[in-house]
RNA sequence: GCCCGCCUGGCGGAAUGGUAGACGCAGCGGACUUAAAAUCCGCAGUCCGCAAGGGCAUGGGGGUUCGAAUCCCCCGGCGGGCACCA
């Protein structure tokens, strides 16, 4: 500070402080460049083992063109973990890449004539630039996109290894078919049963497709959930339900008349129908048998009965989505076939085709027991089928018990069931299975809901499936030497369907076995395949092989994976499968990909509607003091709608780029962390961001204002009295509190503790107690370092002010440790209750014994009034918490 | 329809069996300023009361407990997933 300045503006001038402002616009790029220059976040493929490793990964983004607030939230959460773990002495790998294959690129090609590749790589460039402005501690040298041939070529290699290991199968399966466009549709492209472009009624069509044999791992995928102790319970529950292990029986029902000689049935000579049931104990409650529309018996019925054929065709128009099928009104058609009851001599029941029976589950056929299954009851009521109660609820009367509007699906005692009568549900199941096995018409089985993973997609912008179809030799894998199978660049999107299929030359190749002309597979992989092993590729992103064994064995599993709850089932389950398949084909040692999982909530915002019903962007409106809103610059009223997930269609989006322009990355990060717990949906508000910005400035001001009066670094902060000691206690309490908050993902609580700490520092601003200078320096240095995982740029800025001579960056410093001596208080406040109601508080020494505490509590005037002379029956003391008198 | 969650002041939330509402946002009052912005200080769940204090209160209803936002049961609302969106 020079003399001229001292003259010009005395320090008493109240404006002096407000002029001290943190210039994030120049500071943030400066620190980003410095981290980059020093290589702070680069790690080797194969570490030397001197430090414990920690692999932090956020779900990689789809390159839609712009980052959105969901990305900002996701990557901020991951970055806090990465920076914290680094400070705790871990070697942290924190990579970033692009989930770059998928439908939107093809849509862009069809709508705007841009090549999917160009569209994708342009988007990646734009989004990379935006991400870099967030100041994430990423090792960018590991970046790749799944549409890079260097990636998907290795994926083809993995596929061939899986094929060789018997983990790949070819089977028939159903797809949504648009008969007008002649195109396979994704579920999201089917709107109210019609194709989104053509409007044609969608049909189900059977295609021969590639499947990964995920069901081979079903028992292991289920059991191993138990070892994932750092996964949320709800995700594990959802996966367990999805895998869906159930114990039951397969029962073969004899047709009373064999089907097949009746007409030219496609499945002649059918004598029986096999059913899977989890409730063999309710077999005596049967009133019908129902098969799926895709079941061979339905086909047999359709072949001889035009009405049955009509019903099957109708079911075929329902699309393939399970949600659609299960929500549809229960409908059926009586085929006229009948089956004999396995236990009741001479009894037979009708066979229906029903739209709620799923071909993919069990055997595609069920026996209907309306008394004890909701769907069966609804169906029976609709078609006037019998309802026989066979399970008596505990305490119910057998003579009067009847089924009304709801089926009884819980356990009870078996009635109306011949040899099963009187048995409880569990033993009755076992007895029924024994009887079925004794008669040779059924067997106890374990059934899984999980189906094999169909990976064939009839699309261009995906990884080509590396096989060749030869008329003479059948399916032939592409020889390893001919990999990668590259996507052709010159493709035509002017007509519907798969451009690979229409390509004039691409698919015409010679059979690798016999050399004769053959046809290349034109299906590409489901994009879930791409995202099922990217976390492994990040460990050695430039390797010749899919992965380098030493690298994946050093880094996997991912220690902390972070992403949206919407991936709780499919993506995570497919990745778990892939890791096992890679292990069993010798690529990795790990069996589980993600040791720790955190699922974040969505980012939401108010939505706004103009009087004409069109959605408005937040920047188009202006809030009024009365809580209403108007169109910016006018007095035209705007309807403030619900707070919901940010989406382009509702226009309730906020562009992260413009937030960083106006407030800086630290503010965006701070707000997104402060608003609420990260697993919950958060609401983005303008005032919340502004508040976060004010806090960054306040922190800067607190430091800058204190700077001239601080003792040099390293001054002894030991002997402190009065306000100085109080500040030191606050410092060390905060170190402990932030550490705990970061360990437990309670980042919003961490932010609150930093706020409290800043308040404590501000409170001590005028203090002059012995040791205050050193205490103040300790506090300011601590707050910068404790906030650094959350606002890393400001932390570096503050640290450089506090330690001008220092060479180390905050990003390179170890985490702070709390001094236990400063964590202990001398006295504590106890709540005093009478009959569980708070009647006062008492201040006691930390080491006071129960008798003293009770005496002091009882002496309280308000406590006496509440006791009102009644005898005390019980005295409860919860140390450090509460005293309760029961009178 | 099925599976999985969530619900606390005007708002986001804290408290995971022990003082409900920490911290922040918005609000109100004050200081500073010609003024505004910024900043700083203070108030604040709600009802009754001058106050001391008391009643009510964690989506609704019931239960367990000396004590429940927290554990259990029922109901309601909102959200995620349902296998070809990513």
């Amino acid at each position: 500070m020079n003399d001229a300045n001292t003259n010009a503006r005395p320090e008493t001038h109240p404006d002096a402080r407000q002029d001290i402002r943190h210039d994030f616009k120049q500071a943030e790029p400066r620190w980003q460049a410095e981290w980059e220059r020093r290589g702070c976040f680069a790690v080797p493929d194969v570490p030397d083992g001197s430090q414990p490793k920690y692999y932090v990964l956020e779900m990689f983004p789809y390159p839609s063109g712009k980052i959105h607030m969901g990305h900002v939230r996701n990557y901020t959460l991951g970055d806090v973990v990465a920076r914290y773990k680094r400070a705790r002495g871990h070697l942290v790998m924190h990579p970033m890449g692009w989930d770059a294959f998928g439908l939107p690129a093809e849509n862009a090609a069809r709508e705007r004539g841009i090549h999917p590749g160009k569209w994708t790589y342009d988007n990646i460039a734009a989004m990379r630039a935006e991400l870099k402005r967030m100041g994430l501690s990423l090792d960018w040298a590991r970046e790749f996109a799944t549409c890079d041939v260097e990636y998907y070529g290795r994926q083809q290699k993995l596929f061939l290894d899986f094929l060789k290991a018997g983990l790949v199968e070819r089977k028939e399966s159903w797809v949504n078919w648009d008969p007008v466009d002649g195109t396979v549709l994704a579920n999201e492209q089917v709107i109210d049963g019609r194709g989104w472009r053509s409007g044609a009624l969608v049909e189900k069509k059977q295609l021969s497709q590639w499947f990964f044999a995920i069901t081979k791992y079903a028992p292991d995928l289920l059991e191993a959930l138990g070892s994932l102790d750092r996964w949320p319970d709800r995700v594990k529950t959802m996966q367990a339900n999805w895998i869906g292990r159930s114990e039951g029986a397969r029962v073969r029902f004899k047709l009373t008349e064999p089907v097949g000689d009746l007409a030219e049935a496609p499945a002649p000579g059918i004598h029986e129908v096999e059913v899977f049931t989890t409730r063999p104990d309710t077999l005596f409650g049967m009133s019908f048998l129902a098969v799926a529309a895709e079941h061979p018996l339905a086909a047999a019925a359709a072949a001889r009965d035009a009405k049955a054929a009509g019903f099957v065709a109708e079911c075929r128009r329902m699309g393939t989505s399970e949600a659609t099928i299960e929500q549809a009104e229960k409908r059926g058609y009586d085929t006229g076939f009948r089956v004999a009851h396995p236990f009741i001599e001479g009894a037979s029941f009708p066979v229906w085709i029903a739209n709620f029976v799923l071909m993919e589950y069990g055997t595609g056929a069920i026996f209907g027991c309306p008394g004890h299954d909701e769907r069966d009851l609804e169906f029976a009521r609709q078609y006037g089928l019998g309802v026989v109660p066979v399970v008596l609820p505990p305490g119910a009367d057998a003579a009067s018990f009847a089924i009304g509007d709801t089926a009884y699906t819980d356990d009870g005692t078996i009635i109306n069931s011949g040899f099963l009568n009187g048995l409880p549900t569990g033993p009755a199941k076992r007895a029924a299975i024994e009887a079925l096995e004794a008669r040779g018409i059924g067997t106890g089985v374990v059934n899984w809901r999980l189906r094999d993973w169909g990976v064939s997609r009839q699309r261009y912008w995906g990884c080509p499936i590396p096989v060749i179809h030869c008329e003479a030799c059948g399916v032939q894998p592409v020889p390893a030497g001919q990999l990668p199978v590259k996507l052709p660049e010159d493709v035509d999107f002017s007509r519907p369907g798969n451009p690979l299929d229409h390509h004039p030359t691409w698919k015409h190749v010679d059979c690798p076995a016999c050399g004769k002309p053959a046809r290349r597979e034109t299906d590409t992989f489901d994009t879930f395949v791409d995202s099922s092993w990217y976390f492994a590729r990040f460990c050695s992103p430039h390797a010749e092989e899919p992965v380098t064994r030493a690298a994946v064995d050093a880094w996997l599993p991912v220690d902390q994976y972070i992403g949206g709850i919407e991936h709780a089932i499919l993506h995570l389950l497919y990745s778990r499968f892939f890791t096992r398949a890679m292990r069993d084909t010798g690529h990795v040692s790990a069996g589980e990909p993600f040791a720790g999982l955190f699922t974040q909530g969505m980012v939401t915002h108010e939505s706004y509607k103009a009087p004409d019903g069109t959605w408005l962007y937040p920047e188009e409106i202006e809030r009024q003091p009365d809580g209403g809103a108007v169109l910016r610059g006018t007095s035209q009223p705007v309807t403030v709608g619900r707070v919901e997930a940010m989406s382009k269609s509702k226009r309730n989006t906020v562009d992260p780029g413009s937030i960083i322009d106006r407030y800086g990355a630290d503010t965006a990060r701070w707000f997104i962390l402060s608003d609420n717990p990260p697993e919950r949906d958060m609401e983005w508000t303008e005032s919340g961001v502004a508040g976060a910005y004010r806090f960054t400035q306040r922190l800067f001001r607190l430091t800058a204002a204190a700077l001239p009066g601080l003792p040099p670094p390293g001054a002894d902060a030991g002997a402190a009295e009065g306000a100085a000691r109080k500040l030191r206690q606050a410092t060390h309490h905060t170190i402990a509190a932030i550490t705990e908050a970061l360990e437990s993902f309670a980042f919003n609580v961490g932010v609150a503790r930093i706020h409290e700490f800043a308040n404590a520092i501000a409170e001590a601003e005028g203090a002059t107690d012995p040791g205050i200078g050193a205490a103040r320096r300790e506090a300011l240095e601590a707050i910068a370092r404790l906030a650094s995982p959350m606002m890393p740029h400001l932390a570096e800025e503050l640290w450089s002010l506090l330690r001008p001579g220092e060479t180390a960056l905050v990003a390179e410093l170890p985490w702070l440790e709390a001094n236990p001596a400063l964590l202990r208080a001398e006295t504590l406040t106890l709540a005093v209750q009478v009959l569980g109601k708070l009647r006062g508080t008492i201040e006691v020494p930390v080491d006071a014994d129960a008798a003293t505490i009770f005496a002091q509590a009882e002496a309280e005037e308000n406590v006496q009034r509440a006791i009102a002379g009644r005898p005390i029956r019980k005295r409860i003391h919860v140390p450090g918490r509460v005293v309760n008198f029961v009178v």
Side-chain angles (χ1 to χ4, degrees):
Chain A
M1 190 77 49
N2 61 43
D3 291 345
N5 253 351
T6 314
N7 271 341
R9 178 166 277 191
E11 58 171 12
T12 50
H13 194 289
D15 281 356
R17 282 185 185 180
Q18 80 178 46
D19 287 334
I20 307 169
R21 290 187 82 79
H22 170 50
D23 182 2
F24 69 83
K25 276 196 176 156
Q26 59 85 14
E28 292 189 345
R30 177 156 44 79
W31 292 115
Q32 286 163 15
E34 184 61 15
W35 295 325
E36 176 80 41
R37 195 181 67 76
R38 297 195 187 199
C40 291
F41 314 128
V43 290
D45 286 2
V46 182
D48 62 13
S50 61
Q51 281 171 280
K53 68 96 184 178
Y54 202 89
Y55 185 176
V56 182
L57 183 67
E58 303 95 37
M59 291 179 183
F60 65 163
Y62 179 78
S64 58
K66 278 191 158 225
I67 63 168
H68 55 66
M69 281 302 169
H71 294 132
V72 175
R73 193 177 199 198
N74 196 181
Y75 303 134
T76 299
L77 295 173
D79 202 47
V80 172
V81 175
R83 287 179 180 271
Y84 171 71
K85 288 291 177 183
R86 219 174 266 121
R88 294 306 296 251
H90 291 84
L91 185 68
V92 173
M93 179 158 83
H94 188 205
M96 181 58 69
W98 309 95
D99 187 14
F101 275 134
L103 278 177
E106 289 196 33
N107 294 338
R110 288 185 203 283
E111 284 160 15
R112 284 175 272 159
I114 311 167
H115 190 276
K118 174 167 171 45
W119 183 83
T120 303
Y121 283 106
D122 285 352
N123 286 348
I124 288 173
M127 289 174 72
R128 183 193 301 115
E130 286 193 280
L131 282 185
K132 288 203 169 181
R133 296 184 62 204
M134 284 182 62
L136 303 170
S137 62
L138 292 165
D139 182 359
W140 280 102
R142 296 180 181 275
E143 178 191 3
F144 61 79
T146 56
C147 63
D148 295 344
V149 69
E150 292 77 21
Y151 184 78
Y152 73 73
R154 270 78 183 195
Q155 184 162 300
Q156 293 168 340
K157 172 104 182 28
L158 285 179
F159 171 83
L160 295 180
D161 288 350
F162 290 4
L163 187 66
K164 206 178 292 171
L167 296 170
V168 178
E169 290 165 21
R170 196 157 170 78
K171 303 195 258 198
E172 296 283 300
S173 81
W174 298 89
V175 294
N176 298 308
W177 180 254
D178 184 324
V180 170
D181 274 358
T183 306
V184 177
L185 298 177
N187 282 335
E188 72 156 9
Q189 296 173 323
V190 179
I191 294 154
D192 295 330
R194 291 172 182 275
W196 67 338
R197 297 241 199 271
S198 70
L201 279 172
V202 168
E203 295 168 5
K204 281 193 222 178
K205 185 179 172 182
Q206 202 166 32
L207 289 183
S208 192
Q209 311 223 60
W210 290 103
F211 283 80
F212 283 136
I214 190 171
T215 53
K216 286 194 177 167
Y217 292 95
D220 185 43
L221 287 168
L222 181 66
E223 272 163 40
L225 287 173
S227 68
L228 297 174
D229 56 345
R230 291 198 297 117
W231 278 42
D233 286 338
R234 64 179 160 146
V235 174
K236 288 189 278 187
T237 307
M238 281 189 263
Q239 291 221 349
N241 290 340
W242 186 263
I243 296 166
R245 181 183 194 278
S246 60
E247 291 181 8
R250 280 181 179 239
V251 187
R252 292 192 302 279
F253 287 84
K254 286 233 169 349
L255 285 154
T256 53
E257 299 264 354
V259 179
D261 44 353
L262 301 165
E264 57 286 8
I270 302 176
H271 295 275
E272 57 190 23
V273 191
E274 191 171 45
V275 151
F276 172 76
T277 178
T278 57
R279 296 298 303 270
D281 54 314
T282 64
L283 269 165
F284 284 92
M286 172 174 188
S287 63
F288 62 94
L289 188 143
V291 299
E294 298 83 13
H295 195 276
L297 196 61
R304 65 162 203 171
D305 173 354
K307 281 191 185 160
F311 183 73
V312 168
E314 199 181 301
C315 290
R316 213 169 258 196
R317 280 197 290 275
M318 248 201 317
T320 58
S321 146
E322 191 172 312
T324 313
I325 293 166
E326 290 210 18
Q327 263 163 285
E329 187 197 350
K330 306 267 174 295
R331 303 201 49 212
Y333 180 82
D334 186 348
T335 59
F337 301 138
R338 293 186 76 82
V339 287
H341 193 276
F343 297 140
I344 309 169
E345 206 60 48
S348 75
F349 294 95
V351 176
W352 288 67
I353 304 167
N355 67 355
F356 65 91
V357 178
L358 303 172
M359 192 60 214
E360 291 84 7
Y361 185 74
T363 60
I366 60 150
F367 82 83
C369 177
H372 306 286
D373 182 281
E374 284 299 345
R375 291 181 302 182
D376 295 353
L377 183 65
E378 193 185 331
F379 190 75
R381 293 286 189 231
Q382 178 143 353
Y383 291 104
L385 299 163
V387 180
V388 182
V390 291
V391 182
L392 189 65
D397 172 42
S400 62
F401 178 67
I403 301 292
D405 292 341
T406 49
Y408 179 72
T409 56
D410 289 340
D411 287 355
T413 309
I414 304 297
I415 52 169
N416 301 328
S417 296
F419 67 94
L420 296 175
N421 279 339
L423 290 173
T425 311
K429 284 179 185 170
R430 289 191 285 278
I433 290 169
E434 270 172 37
L436 290 166
E437 286 175 347
R439 286 167 202 221
I441 51 170
T443 172
V445 292
V446 170
N447 190 58
W448 301 86
R449 205 186 80 97
L450 183 67
R451 307 200 295 260
D452 278 334
W453 173 16
V455 292
S456 296
R457 298 292 183 269
Q458 295 69 41
R459 314 203 193 290
Y460 168 72
W461 195 234
C463 169
I465 299 176
V467 295
I468 291 163
H469 300 272
C470 172
E471 275 193 22
C473 314
V475 173
Q476 293 296 318
V478 172
Q482 291 176 27
L483 290 182
V485 178
K486 283 190 195 170
L487 286 170
E489 284 288 322
D490 52 329
V491 279
D492 174 17
F493 282 96
S494 64
R495 60 172 171 142
N498 181 359
L500 289 181
D501 203 29
H502 320 140
H503 193 277
T505 56
W506 187 77
K507 68 179 171 183
H508 302 296
V509 289
D510 293 336
C511 170
C514 68
K516 292 201 189 107
R519 184 178 59 80
R520 201 183 271 299
E521 172 69 70
T522 57
D523 285 356
T524 51
F525 282 121
D526 176 6
T527 55
F528 270 126
V529 177
D530 312 334
S531 54
S532 290
W533 70 286
Y534 77 108
F535 48 86
R537 181 71 185 171
F538 273 140
C539 302
S540 50
H542 311 294
E544 264 314 304
E545 290 297 303
V547 296
T548 302
R549 190 65 187 256
V552 285
D553 285 354
W555 285 109
L556 289 181
V558 173
D559 295 279
Q560 188 63 60
Y561 195 38
I562 306 171
I565 186 69
E566 67 275 18
H567 293 294
I569 298 175
L570 293 179
H571 162 60
L572 293 171
L573 194 62
Y574 291 153
S575 298
R576 296 181 65 216
F577 159 72
F578 238 81
T579 305
R580 284 164 171 75
M582 287 176 75
R583 177 194 62 199
D584 294 349
T585 50
H587 292 283
V588 300
S589 301
E592 286 291 345
F594 313 120
L597 173 69
F598 187 87
T599 54
Q600 58 166 18
M602 292 181 306
V603 182
T604 66
H605 197 276
E606 280 181 336
S607 51
Y608 310 103
K609 247 184 188 176
D612 65 2
T614 57
W615 298 100
L616 297 169
Y617 287 106
E619 57 269 25
E620 294 178 294
I621 68 114
E622 215 166 338
R623 294 307 299 252
Q624 299 292 101
D626 65 358
V630 294
L631 201 58
R632 187 169 288 279
T634 71
S635 58
Q636 207 185 341
V638 164
T639 310
V640 178
R642 313 193 320 156
V643 172
E644 49 193 315
M646 286 188 179
S647 77
K648 277 183 201 151
S649 62
K650 300 275 168 63
R651 295 194 170 180
N652 60 338
T653 54
V654 174
D655 171 38
S658 68
I659 294 295
I660 294 174
D661 287 341
R662 280 160 62 201
Y663 299 106
D666 282 337
T667 293
R669 295 167 60 121
W670 189 250
F671 172 57
I672 223 158
L673 293 165
S674 69
D675 188 59
N676 68 351
E679 67 274 17
R680 261 196 246 180
D681 289 353
M682 75 163 287
E683 186 187 349
W684 187 272
T685 58
E686 186 58 34
S687 55
V689 191
Y693 178 73
R694 282 201 297 274
F695 185 73
T696 62
Q697 292 298 349
R698 181 174 185 221
L699 211 48
F700 186 85
R701 229 171 17 244
L702 273 179
T703 305
L707 221 45
L710 290 184
D716 180 22
E721 290 170 29
R725 180 167 173 81
K726 215 174 142 194
L727 184 57
R728 292 211 67 202
Q729 283 180 331
T731 301
H732 289 266
H733 270 121
T734 306
I735 293 169
I738 300 293
T739 304
E740 199 196 319
L742 297 188
E743 289 282 352
S744 60
F745 270 83
F747 301 136
N748 58 322
V749 180
V751 166
R753 297 292 167 261
I754 296 274
H755 272 284
E756 286 172 18
F757 189 27
N759 291 342
I761 295 172
E763 205 175 306
E765 265 186 336
T768 53
D769 302 65
I772 189 69
R776 196 171 279 142
R777 168 170 285 281
E778 181 188 44
L780 289 167
E781 291 187 355
I783 202 167
R785 292 169 68 174
L786 293 172
S788 70
M790 301 179 259
M791 33 172 132
H793 311 90
L794 179 58
E796 297 290 2
E797 197 72 7
L798 297 178
W799 185 248
S800 72
L801 289 176
L802 288 160
R803 297 282 186 104
E806 202 96 351
T807 53
L809 302 179
V810 177
E812 297 164 329
L813 292 175
W815 195 244
L816 291 167
E817 299 283 346
N819 177 350
L822 286 159
L823 289 177
R824 250 198 332 270
E826 288 80 23
T827 63
L828 48 87
T829 309
L830 286 182
V832 183
Q833 300 177 332
V834 177
L835 285 171
K837 276 194 187 290
L838 182 72
R839 296 300 170 183
T841 57
I842 53 171
E843 190 88 1
V844 298
V846 278
D847 50 2
D849 63 17
T852 320
I853 288 169
F854 284 135
Q856 193 180 333
E858 239 178 290
E860 275 290 300
E861 192 191 331
N862 213 35
V863 172
Q864 275 300 318
R865 190 162 38 222
I867 291 171
R870 291 172 288 184
I872 296 172
R873 285 221 322 267
K874 198 170 166 190
R875 292 175 170 82
I876 294 156
H877 172 226
V878 182
R881 295 283 187 181
V882 78
V883 173
N884 190 12
F885 296 113
V886 185
V887 295

